[in-house]
Amino acid sequence: MATAAPRIGDTKVPMSLLEKGAYINYQRIEDNLAIVRDRLNRPLSLAEKIVYGHLDDPHGQDIQRGVSYLKLRPDRVACQDATAQMALLQFMSAGMDTAAVPTTVHCDHLIEAQIGGVKDLARAIDINKEVYDFLATATAKYGLGFWKPGSGIIHQIILENYAFPGGMMIGTDSHTPNAGGLGMVACGVGGADAVDVMAGLPWELKCPKVIGVNLTGKISGWTTPKDVILKVAGILTVKGGTGAIVEYKGPGVESLSCTGMATICNMGAEIGATTSMFPFNSRMSNYLNATKRGDIAKYAQQFAHNLKADEGAEYDQHIEINLSELEPHINGPFTPDLATPLSKFAEEVKKNNWPEELKVALIGSCTNSSYEDMSRSVSIVKEASAHGLDVKSKFTITPGSEQVRATIERDGHIAAFENVGGLVLANACGPCIGQWDRQDVKKGEANSIITSYNRNFTGRNDANPATHAFVASPDVVTAMAFGGSLTFNPMTDSLIGSDGKPFTFSEPRGDELPPRGYDPGQDTFQPPPTDRASVSVAVDPKSDRLQLLHPFAPWDGKTPTDLPILIKVSGKCTTDHISAGGPWLKYRGHLENISQNCLIGAINAENNTANKVKNQMTGEYGGVPQTAAYYRDHGIKWVVVGDHNYGEGSSREHAALEPRFLGGLAIIVRSFARIHETNLKKQGMLALTFANPEDYEKVKPSDRVDILGLDSFAPGKNLTLVLRHEDGSKEEVPLAHSFNEGQIAWFKAGSALNLVIFF
Ligand code: SF4
């Protein structure tokens, strides 16, 4: 009797030691690729293999790099605490009792650095109690993993516990690509995408182009993995990776540690890349073994043929980097793609008049907080200490996770940092996301800081637009803390020890992995309880930070007539104009409160003023959100008219939720930024464009409008906008749209989520 050939899927390996019953699905990749190879008939890059291996419909999907939109089935979802609030509230309103894929929530963004890890954490737990309570109970109720405040930064926790070669993950944070260090396609998304995947809907992604970075030579000395991405950022600039996956390859890869590869992928977000990734190799196996995931390493080995590019795979762009010749770099200020080799940096500092004194040196963050990073920094610290030196600049250390913190504490590294004047902060984002109560300079005072973080746009770390923030490896940052000046080159310049003798730093050395194994530290993980039915989600009805959501009403089937124009927007209207950040961020979990910022930054074409529009019912002028709420509360739907590229900027879903919540029906513009257009559709709004962009000029802010054709709403079929001018005259203009059948169903149901709830 013939026996069936063994299949890769016959072996069941859990995605994570922390989750039961969720297994790595290499069989799907194998099966999908068999179909896709047949169709494309060409060698595939690694990125293509993993992306196409997660296609929802490998037979029918149109696959053209940079052109088609793919529907994908990610393996898992990760959310950080700031973005998780609205994502969970939306998911809850879908009425499902568990997420369709394994999902975790991480408390890392809301902890402000002030005086040191322990006290800062205690204060954050107090201030953010209701948010943490909500996240803890909502995750428990819906079967998600919850990482408590103090557990660490989302991307380190993912690398330590959840990332695996060949997996696909989306995360509501832009540095989700960190998991590419373990061979995962991991992409940062807005909350709306996360909710879709949690609710069992496919995730849509423009078929990525692939940029190949061939690494040759060997990394050594002062050069670190961080310098690879600092160099790549200099080559590609902040926009160069847009719409592409950066795929690293070549013999040089073997000289990088797994956490070093994660650093490179992490900061790939700074070049706008969809994600970055590495092929599976022995360094990944070492890391998986060290984090007690030897079974995954073995399984990936069996699947290794699909965890690397095919011979002859073609790339849309190619970059060559010889690691043996790569110099350490320092990037900045104010942008992460201004790359300067260390040997030229002092000259640039003087030439550009950047403040020479180095005020603060900060190491850690999700980008550079591995055991290897910390142990290399400690080698520098110990050498300086042996010469009797303390740091000249302020020096902070952010461990990426409780596991790293406990391990470096056990191994004496924390004591070594503190011994030279270092301040160890909480295992959290802290100064990297501006959660920094910085006291040493006044707002507006020009000064320099250097970090091992990833992003250095104006004001990001300390809200001071005059702070010149530079980015470098933790090695360079640490050494410069002793030099105290931006012009200090630790490779060549000497310092004077306490004995009065000059010395030059030796090359940093460190351990890729802790020789005595990782110390897990305190248990900061809350798995879903067995009895989830009895959990009630903690949302205080009086809270001003959290509010439960109610499903939006379905379309009433009527032709909309006589609608007022809430605002005719003139010029640029980004998601920041539609839903401002800053002080509003604390209301991210409260739709009613955050809606008070709806379109307050948009310029009214009628009076060239922001947040001053005429209420067409009362004739009075008022704020945009107040006027919208008036219409809604009087049963009147309204529209917004906008210019080109409406909704560009970050993909925040609040910019689509707010107009919907305030009773808007349609946003009619010359053109949309694509993600915002999709977000509007997901919330049940009509996202429409003038078929002739010049028709925007025909609209008068005081017009009333009808939208004709919704009774036969169909893909590719124009609608008609009737403009009823104040003087009694009437004009009709054609409206185009990009709704497909599925998206029309979202509109009719009231939102994409309503389809899951009601149908
Ligand atoms: Fe984002 Fe910085 Fe936190 Fe990393 S450490 S997740 S880059 S805020």
Side-chain angles (χ1 to χ4, degrees):
M1 198 172 74
T3 48
R7 288 156 51 90
I8 187 81
D10 293 343
T11 311
K12 297 280 174 237
V13 176
M15 263 191 259
S16 166
L17 300 177
L18 299 170
E19 287 158 355
K20 295 198 177 67
Y23 299 103
I24 292 176
N25 193 349
Y26 282 157
Q27 190 62 53
R28 173 176 54 188
I29 300 179
E30 189 98 335
D31 294 346
N32 273 10
L33 288 184
I35 297 161
V36 170
R37 283 183 189 289
D38 221 33
R39 290 180 53 201
L40 300 183
N41 204 15
R42 60 170 171 81
L44 300 174
S45 66
L46 168 64
E48 289 183 296
K49 286 182 177 179
I50 307 307
V51 171
Y52 305 158
H54 287 80
L55 283 174
D56 185 44
D57 174 13
H59 286 287
Q61 174 71 60
D62 179 25
I63 303 172
Q64 292 179 69
R65 295 201 314 217
V67 177
S68 56
Y69 286 91
L70 307 179
K71 283 202 180 338
L72 298 163
R73 291 285 175 183
D75 297 298
R76 50 186 314 121
V77 173
C79 304
Q80 41 98 331
D81 47 4
T83 49
Q85 297 166 57
M86 189 52 79
L88 288 186
L89 286 162
Q90 288 182 81
F91 176 73
M92 284 164 62
S93 73
M96 298 174 71
D97 64 5
T98 194
V101 300
T103 300
T104 51
V105 172
H106 304 260
C107 295
D108 55 2
H109 274 60
L110 305 177
I111 301 168
E112 188 187 52
Q114 219 175 52
I115 45 180
V118 177
K119 289 194 172 145
D120 292 347
L121 177 60
R123 196 179 55 256
I125 290 173
D126 185 41
I127 296 169
N128 301 307
K129 185 173 183 325
E130 65 176 317
V131 172
Y132 293 149
D133 285 351
F134 164 68
L135 295 175
T137 49
T139 50
K141 181 82 184 169
Y142 297 99
L144 322 180
F146 178 63
W147 288 86
K148 299 175 200 171
S151 56
I153 307 168
I154 174 169
H155 311 303
Q156 277 303 314
I157 306 266
I158 295 286
L159 199 71
E160 289 170 1
N161 298 282
Y162 299 110
F164 64 90
M168 175 177 279
M169 176 177 67
I170 58 168
T172 59
D173 189 274
S174 36
H175 294 95
T176 304
N178 192 72
L182 261 178
M184 205 169 196
V185 166
C187 304
V189 296
D193 283 351
V195 175
D196 285 352
V197 173
M198 288 165 69
L201 301 170
W203 171 54
E204 199 185 66
L205 176 74
K206 189 169 196 176
C207 187
K209 294 185 176 180
V210 190
I211 298 173
V213 180
N214 195 45
L215 301 178
T216 53
K218 199 165 178 278
I219 209 148
S220 65
W222 279 89
T223 306
T224 68
K226 180 64 160 268
D227 299 301
V228 176
I229 185 61
L230 293 175
K231 172 83 181 170
V232 170
I235 296 169
L236 284 175
T237 78
V238 288
K239 287 214 182 97
T242 307
I245 294 183
V246 181
E247 181 178 314
Y248 291 87
K249 59 201 179 69
V253 170
E254 279 299 325
S255 70
L256 303 172
S257 65
C258 177
T259 52
M261 293 188 271
T263 294
I264 294 170
C265 293
N266 175 302
M267 201 177 153
E270 267 39 75
I271 51 171
T274 302
T275 192
S276 303
M277 65 186 308
F278 279 84
F280 174 67
N281 68 3
S282 63
R283 308 296 284 265
M284 292 186 193
S285 287
N286 294 346
Y287 184 75
L288 286 166
N289 284 320
T291 49
K292 302 192 167 52
R293 292 174 290 168
D295 285 352
I296 295 182
K298 273 193 226 130
Y299 197 35
Q301 192 57 53
Q302 289 172 40
F303 197 56
H305 57 285
N306 273 332
L307 300 175
K308 62 176 184 191
D310 289 341
E311 201 64 48
E314 284 181 9
Y315 295 85
D316 296 280
Q317 190 179 346
H318 215 96
I319 293 172
E320 287 284 338
I321 295 180
N322 183 343
L323 297 176
S324 304
E325 292 169 359
L326 182 66
E327 233 195 284
H329 277 62
I330 299 180
N331 289 21
F334 306 120
T335 183
D337 58 355
L338 181 58
T340 309
L342 183 57
S343 58
K344 305 265 177 335
F345 190 66
E347 202 180 306
E348 287 297 307
V349 171
K350 290 188 189 303
K351 199 165 87 195
N352 292 289
N353 265 330
W354 293 331
E356 280 189 33
E357 184 193 358
L358 178 62
K359 288 280 189 188
V360 194
L362 306 97
I363 63 167
S365 89
C366 62
T367 325
N368 274 114
S369 55
S370 64
Y371 187 84
E372 182 179 43
D373 291 332
M374 294 293 156
S375 64
R376 285 175 66 98
S377 285
V378 157
S379 78
I380 295 165
V381 159
K382 285 188 172 163
E383 188 169 18
S385 193
H387 289 276
L389 296 190
D390 285 345
V391 280
K392 270 201 197 132
S393 314
K394 287 186 189 304
F395 179 45
T396 72
I397 302 98
T398 309
S401 68
E402 168 60 9
Q403 177 160 281
V404 167
R405 189 210 59 78
T407 308
I408 62 172
E409 180 173 56
R410 180 202 63 196
D411 293 351
H413 297 353
I414 287 189
F417 286 134
E418 290 177 341
N419 187 37
V420 295
L423 176 67
V424 178
L425 301 174
N427 315 321
C429 302
C432 182
I433 190 66
Q435 292 278 18
W436 186 17
D437 183 21
R438 189 176 176 196
Q439 300 288 350
D440 64 306
V441 293
K442 292 203 185 62
K443 203 54 154 303
E445 186 182 330
N447 73 99
S448 291
I449 64 172
I450 188 164
T451 80
S452 73
Y453 307 165
N454 43 37
R455 220 159 248 190
N456 62 343
F457 294 118
T458 306
R460 173 168 169 102
N461 303 116
D462 60 0
N464 179 359
T467 293
H468 293 54
F470 297 88
V471 180
S473 69
D475 306 21
V476 167
V477 173
T478 303
M480 287 182 85
F482 290 96
S485 166
L486 280 190
T487 56
F488 174 66
N489 179 344
M491 286 180 75
T492 52
D493 295 348
S494 51
L495 294 173
I496 308 294
S498 59
D499 56 3
K501 293 188 186 146
F503 74 97
T504 311
F505 280 117
S506 317
E507 288 177 352
R509 306 166 69 85
D511 294 306
E512 170 182 356
L513 295 162
R516 294 162 60 197
Y518 282 107
D519 178 339
Q522 291 179 30
D523 185 5
T524 50
F525 176 62
Q526 172 192 287
T530 338
D531 171 22
R532 292 196 274 124
S534 61
V535 177
S536 66
V537 180
V539 178
D540 180 349
K542 295 196 286 300
S543 168
D544 68 350
R545 290 183 71 177
L546 292 164
Q547 182 186 47
L548 292 175
L549 295 175
H550 301 289
F552 295 127
W555 179 48
D556 57 13
K558 295 183 189 150
T559 295
T561 53
D562 214 28
L563 310 184
I565 295 169
L566 174 67
I567 179 171
K568 180 182 177 184
V569 180
S570 160
K572 209 175 182 60
C573 191
T574 68
T575 46
D576 268 329
H577 294 90
I578 306 169
S579 177
W584 294 97
L585 294 182
K586 71 168 183 279
Y587 299 122
R588 279 190 195 212
H590 198 295
L591 184 54
E592 189 172 345
N593 284 350
I594 202 166
S595 291
Q596 292 308 304
N597 75 3
C598 185
L599 283 156
I600 59 175
I603 299 299
N604 181 3
E606 184 197 358
N607 52 16
N608 247 341
T609 308
N611 204 24
K612 189 173 176 195
V613 292
K614 188 173 182 182
N615 181 323
Q616 302 296 340
M617 305 300 141
T618 64
E620 313 225 314
Y621 280 85
V624 181
Q626 291 73 26
T627 309
Y630 177 96
Y631 292 150
R632 178 198 59 194
D633 297 345
H634 289 76
I636 302 161
K637 296 194 174 71
W638 46 263
V639 304
V640 166
V641 172
D643 215 317
H644 275 299
N645 213 14
Y646 184 93
E648 65 181 298
S650 85
S651 68
R652 72 184 63 141
E653 72 267 36
H654 295 84
L657 277 161
E658 291 176 23
R660 181 73 167 107
F661 176 75
L662 288 169
L665 178 79
I667 310 287
I668 304 165
V669 299
R670 290 205 225 232
S671 65
F672 278 109
R674 201 193 72 85
I675 294 176
H676 183 61
E677 182 182 23
T678 308
N679 283 348
L680 286 169
K681 291 178 186 172
K682 279 184 183 165
Q683 300 305 342
M685 300 271 309
L686 286 171
L688 308 172
T689 50
F690 293 104
N692 308 309
E694 60 275 19
D695 285 345
Y696 166 89
E697 307 292 352
K698 294 181 179 163
V699 180
K700 301 194 169 45
S702 57
D703 288 347
R704 299 295 178 85
V705 305
D706 306 342
I707 298 172
L708 309 182
L710 287 175
D711 44 352
S712 55
F713 196 10
K717 190 172 165 199
N718 282 356
L719 301 170
T720 301
L721 180 71
V722 181
L723 299 167
R724 299 171 181 279
H725 301 309
E726 235 175 344
D727 61 6
S729 63
K730 224 166 80 168
E731 282 182 89
E732 290 194 356
V733 302
L735 293 178
H737 66 83
S738 61
F739 280 80
N740 59 30
E741 290 288 2
Q743 293 168 336
I744 290 172
W746 298 348
F747 167 69
K748 291 185 173 165
S751 72
L753 217 48
N754 279 5
L755 272 185
V756 180
I757 303 171
F758 299 120
F759 298 91

